[in-house]
C-alpha cells in the first residue's frame, strides 16, 4: 500500500516557476514508477511526466518538454516536479501517482493517487 500527498501548488504569473512535491508512505516506494498527471476543468486527466523506479528513465508530454523536470529522492520517499516558464494553459490540478507496472502514460495503470494540488498560472 502506498499513500501519496502532494504539496507546492499555488498561483503564479506566466513565466514563473513552481516546484511540486509528492511525499509517499510505504516501504516499497522505491520499487514503484511514479508520474504526474494533471486535469483542467472540463478536460480529461492527462499525463505530464513519469520516472522509473531508479530515476534513470524519465518521460515527458510534448507540451511540457524542456520546461518541466521530474526527479525522485528515494531516501526521502519523495518525487518532485520542477515547473519552469509556466503558461496559463498549465493551469490544472496536478496529481501524483504510483504504479508497479513500470513507466506508463495511462492513468488506469496507476493504482495509487494523491489528492491533487492546484496550480494556477495567470496571464
Amino acid at each position: 500500500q502506498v499513500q501519496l500527498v502532494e504539496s507546492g501548488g499555488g498561483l503564479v504569473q506566466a513565466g514563473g516557476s513552481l516546484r511540486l512535491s509528492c511525499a509517499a508512505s510505504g516501504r516499497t516506494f522505491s520499487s514503484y514508477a511514479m508520474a504526474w498527471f494533471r486535469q483542467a476543468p472540463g478536460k480529461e486527466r492527462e499525463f505530464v511526466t513519469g520516472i522509473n523506479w531508479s530515476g534513470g528513465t524519465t518521460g515527458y508530454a510534448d507540451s511540457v518538454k524542456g520546461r518541466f523536470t521530474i526527479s525522485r529522492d528515494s531516501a526521502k520517499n519523495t518525487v518532485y516536479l520542477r515547473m519552469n516558464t509556466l503558461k496559463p494553459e498549465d493551469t490544472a490540478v496536478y496529481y501524483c501517482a504510483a504504479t508497479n507496472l513500470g513507466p506508463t502514460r495511462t492513468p488506469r495503470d496507476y493504482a495509487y493517487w494523491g489528492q491533487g494540488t492546484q496550480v494556477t498560472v495567470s496571464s
Side-chain angles (χ1 to χ4, degrees):
Q1 188 78 7
V2 176
Q3 293 184 327
L4 305 172
V5 179
E6 302 99 333
S7 61
L11 173 64
V12 64
Q13 288 188 333
S17 299
L18 282 175
R19 189 181 78 159
L20 306 183
S21 299
C22 172
S25 63
R27 293 178 294 173
T28 59
F29 167 76
S30 61
S31 67
Y32 284 81
M34 305 294 295
W36 289 93
F37 291 81
R38 67 187 181 186
Q39 188 166 18
K43 295 187 177 181
E44 293 187 352
R45 191 168 297 189
E46 64 173 356
F47 172 83
V48 176
T49 178
I51 190 167
N52 74 332
W53 68 273
S54 69
T57 301
T58 58
Y60 296 90
D62 288 343
S63 59
V64 306
K65 199 172 295 183
R67 300 188 297 122
F68 290 11
T69 303
I70 189 172
S71 61
R72 67 189 299 164
D73 185 337
S74 292
K76 296 182 178 180
N77 278 8
T78 301
V79 174
Y80 303 99
L81 177 60
R82 178 68 181 181
M83 305 185 293
N84 295 329
T85 319
L86 283 161
K87 305 175 181 179
E89 51 264 43
D90 294 319
T91 295
V93 177
Y94 283 71
Y95 297 91
C96 175
T99 179
N100 60 1
L101 299 179
T104 168
R105 300 188 177 209
T106 305
R108 65 175 179 268
D109 289 339
Y110 288 79
Y112 305 104
W113 292 83
Q115 82 289 351
T117 186
Q118 176 71 46
V119 172
T120 303
V121 184
S122 62
S123 57

